[in-house]
Amino acid sequence: MRFALVFLIALVLPLPDGNGALAQSPGVAAERIKRASAVKAGYGAVVISIRSELYLDEPIDVFFLKEGGDSNNNSDVVRFSRRQNPLSFSNSSVKHKVRAYQLPAGTYRLIAHGMDCPKVPAENERCLIDRTGLTDKVEISRPSRGYGEIAPTFEVHAGQMTYAGDFALTARNTLEWSELPSNELAKIRRRMNGMPQGPSPVIPESFKLKYGLFPRSYGDDRRRRY
């Protein structure tokens, strides 16, 4: 049992890059908050869920660009992440995980998702990375895609809470949006002490979730190319 647990954890932990250091995800990780009083002046809150029907052997990152920013500038890109529970023997990332974060006031547009990506993928770009095998390096592709100007956006107002929705990585290697479950929203509202609600997100029809999510296993996705 102990060996199986160690093996499973090894599957989901990031591997060192070619220089022996852990690869760093681009962008700035969104700062999670648990109460309204933690929101800084000039900031608002955003409530979001990241899910995946693909088995996540490493965290999946979802990138949003602040309006007026540059996707090549890390400080302009905010990153939300989701990882597989290392203690779960099934795909735990298909379940909702609704969290609140604080962001500076502004408008944010979805620009990419990626796993192991050394940079934010450009529109329709995929991430290819080198992995060290038993004898040499091999190139593998990872779940990833960059999005163009027509993509979901959400707006953050200072002192308000924006419900950005649920962004799900599908087996089609696309991020698709749906409403947050009412029971999960109720939990967040209680914790955030009735913080005023901000604007609703703007979601193009092509990004709305088309089908239910069906959890895939590690075996389904281990050798898949994206």
Side-chain angles (χ1 to χ4, degrees):
M1 178 66 180
R2 180 178 297 177
F3 172 80
L5 182 59
V6 170
F7 175 73
L8 183 60
I9 292 174
L11 290 177
V12 298
L13 288 178
L15 294 178
D17 61 19
N19 298 319
L22 291 178
Q24 297 296 312
S25 296
V28 177
E31 182 183 353
R32 187 181 170 192
I33 54 174
K34 295 186 177 181
R35 59 187 184 280
S37 60
V39 178
K40 304 173 187 175
Y43 282 59
V46 58
V47 176
I48 192 170
S49 171
I50 306 297
R51 292 192 293 156
S52 175
E53 67 179 345
L54 296 177
Y55 188 94
L56 303 180
D57 56 335
E58 294 187 19
I60 188 72
D61 297 317
V62 178
F63 303 101
F64 287 82
L65 177 66
K66 188 174 182 182
E67 187 175 45
D70 183 347
S71 61
N72 294 312
N73 184 354
N74 270 352
S75 62
D76 293 333
V77 178
V78 62
R79 181 180 79 246
F80 301 93
S81 302
R82 178 74 185 269
R83 67 173 63 239
Q84 170 75 17
N85 182 347
L87 301 181
S88 174
F89 287 92
S90 61
N91 185 350
S92 65
S93 59
V94 77
K95 299 177 182 178
H96 287 94
K97 183 176 281 189
V98 181
R99 297 288 185 264
Y101 303 85
Q102 65 172 346
L103 292 178
T107 300
Y108 296 82
R109 173 173 58 86
L110 174 69
I111 55 170
H113 72 267
M115 180 187 291
D116 291 333
C117 290
K119 67 180 185 68
V120 177
E123 185 175 359
N124 290 323
E125 183 181 19
R126 309 294 196 276
C127 292
L128 298 174
I129 65 169
D130 290 332
R131 275 289 175 82
T132 302
L134 294 176
T135 57
D136 55 9
K137 287 186 178 180
V138 293
E139 185 181 71
I140 63 173
S141 63
R142 306 300 272 153
S144 51
R145 184 190 298 268
Y147 301 102
E149 294 288 335
I150 306 302
T153 62
F154 62 81
E155 189 175 350
V156 175
H157 288 185
Q160 297 183 11
M161 183 162 56
T162 296
Y163 299 106
D166 176 72
F167 290 83
L169 175 61
T170 73
R172 299 175 290 282
N173 190 32
T174 56
L175 275 184
E176 299 182 15
W177 179 94
S178 60
E179 296 278 0
L180 294 169
S182 58
N183 61 321
E184 295 287 350
L185 286 179
K187 297 175 187 176
I188 288 287
R189 289 190 178 106
R190 286 196 297 269
R191 291 206 304 269
M192 299 299 286
N193 300 321
M195 196 173 182
Q197 184 171 338
S200 298
V202 177
I203 311 296
E205 191 65 30
S206 60
F207 279 86
K208 293 181 180 179
L209 187 66
K210 303 170 183 62
Y211 311 102
L213 295 188
F214 302 95
R216 294 165 60 89
S217 72
Y218 175 74
D220 291 331
D221 299 316
R222 181 166 58 97
R223 298 185 183 277
R224 184 176 174 188
R225 291 192 64 85
Y226 296 91

